Amino acid sequence: MTDSDWQWQFFVGQQIGTILANAPYLMQIPQKHNVANAIDSCIASYSGGKAKTFADLMFLSPSVPSDWRYGRALPVLNLLLRVCYRLSISLLDFLTGNVIITQKEVFKELPLCQQYYKTNRPFDLIKIKQLLETALSEFPPKSLRQVASAIEYDRTELYRHLPDLCHQINVRYKLYRKSRENFYV
């Protein structure tokens, strides 16, 4: 194990220990809006409000900070610890909404085992396929951008898993728009 691995392991143990030690004294369980406010503050301070830039700095997939920020997903503990470690923020402070940013642009180096991208939201293929099939039968048809926004998934992720359905939605929408344009000419 390298020195950075030991530092990471010590940090994780220390943060989990602090949570367990303070759990009986918390007035309420950590709220989703506390995490949203904390991540919003971090994004604003460390990346000028750009969630994707922040995700890159924290070795997260691009959708993770936005999902936490807007309450679309609960944070995965390992990813949340990664953010806290990089920014030298206490996990307890992050969960309780008491994040005070004192150092800007000083990031702790993560061990290599933590420098990978991982989404915090599983892709439910059956559910998403059903939603896309439903969208394919709606009238008036929606663009893939509109469908992706409605089901709160990124278009590239939809294309990666279900390219044929995405293509059908795009073609149907383009044909609909073209028929509307020809109707008014």
Side-chain angles (χ1 to χ4, degrees), residues 19-168:
I19 293 288
L20 293 173
N22 285 288
Y25 307 105
L26 295 176
M27 300 302 272
Q28 61 183 1
I29 61 171
Q31 303 294 307
K32 192 187 278 189
H33 68 271
N34 290 341
V35 172
N37 291 339
I39 198 71
D40 199 41
S41 294
C42 292
I43 291 169
S45 295
Y46 291 99
S47 63
K50 296 178 180 150
K52 181 172 181 341
T53 302
F54 184 78
D56 290 342
L57 292 169
M58 298 299 121
F59 298 96
L60 302 170
S61 71
S63 64
V64 170
S66 293
D67 287 348
W68 294 354
R69 192 182 207 179
Y70 299 113
R72 291 188 295 250
L74 292 173
V76 175
L77 182 60
N78 184 49
L79 301 182
L80 193 53
L81 282 164
R82 185 184 299 173
V83 170
C84 291
Y85 182 79
R86 292 271 289 156
L87 303 179
S88 301
I89 295 172
S90 157
L91 178 61
L92 181 62
D93 288 345
F94 202 96
L95 292 174
T96 57
N98 297 323
V99 172
I100 299 169
I101 297 170
T102 56
Q103 299 176 338
K104 291 187 180 181
E105 302 299 324
V106 177
F107 302 117
K108 283 188 180 174
E109 190 65 33
L110 282 170
L112 287 177
C113 67
Q114 289 298 315
Q115 293 182 19
Y116 60 90
Y117 294 85
K118 181 177 186 252
T119 184
N120 69 333
R121 180 171 53 166
F123 191 90
D124 186 344
L125 186 64
I126 295 168
K127 178 183 172 189
I128 302 302
K129 184 177 180 183
Q130 289 172 343
L131 291 170
L132 293 181
E133 287 171 345
T134 301
L136 195 54
S137 65
E138 292 176 347
F139 190 84
K142 294 179 183 172
S143 69
L144 184 59
R145 180 185 307 265
Q146 292 167 323
V147 172
S149 176
I151 64 174
E152 297 181 336
Y153 273 87
D154 186 70
R155 287 178 300 158
T156 57
E157 194 171 9
L158 296 176
Y159 255 114
R160 185 175 341 118
H161 294 282
L162 298 160
D164 293 337
L165 275 173
C166 293
H167 180 69
Q168 290 174 26

